[in-house]
Amino acid sequence: MVGTVLTDPACAPLVADCGIASMLIGMLKDKQEDDEIVLQIIFVWNKLLYYKSTRDVVLSEPQAVSYLLDLMHDQNTEIRKVCNRFVYMCLCTCVFTSSYPLFCFTR
């Protein structure tokens, strides 16, 4: 449901301020064996990257990024695809805004 709410740009700041980042980390820890729940959580992380207010919340949560990087090696193909999309969006954010040098790679 949160991913659907995030399709409305007016709702993004409200979601960002509610502490969702730590809640999603907790859910991911608790439900890590349930692929469908994991996919839904990753979907929300991807939606959170769409807007600056929510993007800052996600990228400032170090556990979120490290969990999603770990999930790029999951056995489930769909989980890997969604995690790859998350990392790609993080890289694009860095390249276009230079806000998050953690995700920038130099040649």
Side-chain angles (χ1 to χ4, degrees), residues 3 13 17 20 26 29 35-36 38 41 47 50 55 60 62 66 68 70-71 84 87 93 95 103 107:
D17 293 338
I20 194 162
K29 286 179 185 177
D35 286 351
E36 185 59 36
V38 169
I41 292 169
K47 287 289 196 176
Y50 286 2
R55 184 181 312 126
S60 66
S66 64
L68 289 165
D70 285 343
L71 286 171
N84 285 336
V87 171
T93 298
V95 168
F103 296 107
R107 294 180 190 202

Side-chain angles (χ1 to χ4, degrees), residues 34-75:
D34 187 336
D35 286 351
E36 185 59 36
I37 299 292
V38 169
L39 274 170
Q40 293 298 321
I41 292 169
I42 300 167
F43 174 75
V44 172
W45 285 121
N46 279 313
K47 287 289 196 176
L48 288 168
L49 289 176
Y50 286 2
Y51 309 105
K52 179 151 180 38
S53 60
T54 54
R55 184 181 312 126
D56 292 343
V57 170
V58 173
L59 297 179
S60 66
E61 179 64 54
Q63 286 185 327
V65 176
S66 64
Y67 271 116
L68 289 165
L69 289 172
D70 285 343
L71 286 171
M72 288 179 68
H73 304 287
D74 196 90
Q75 292 179 352

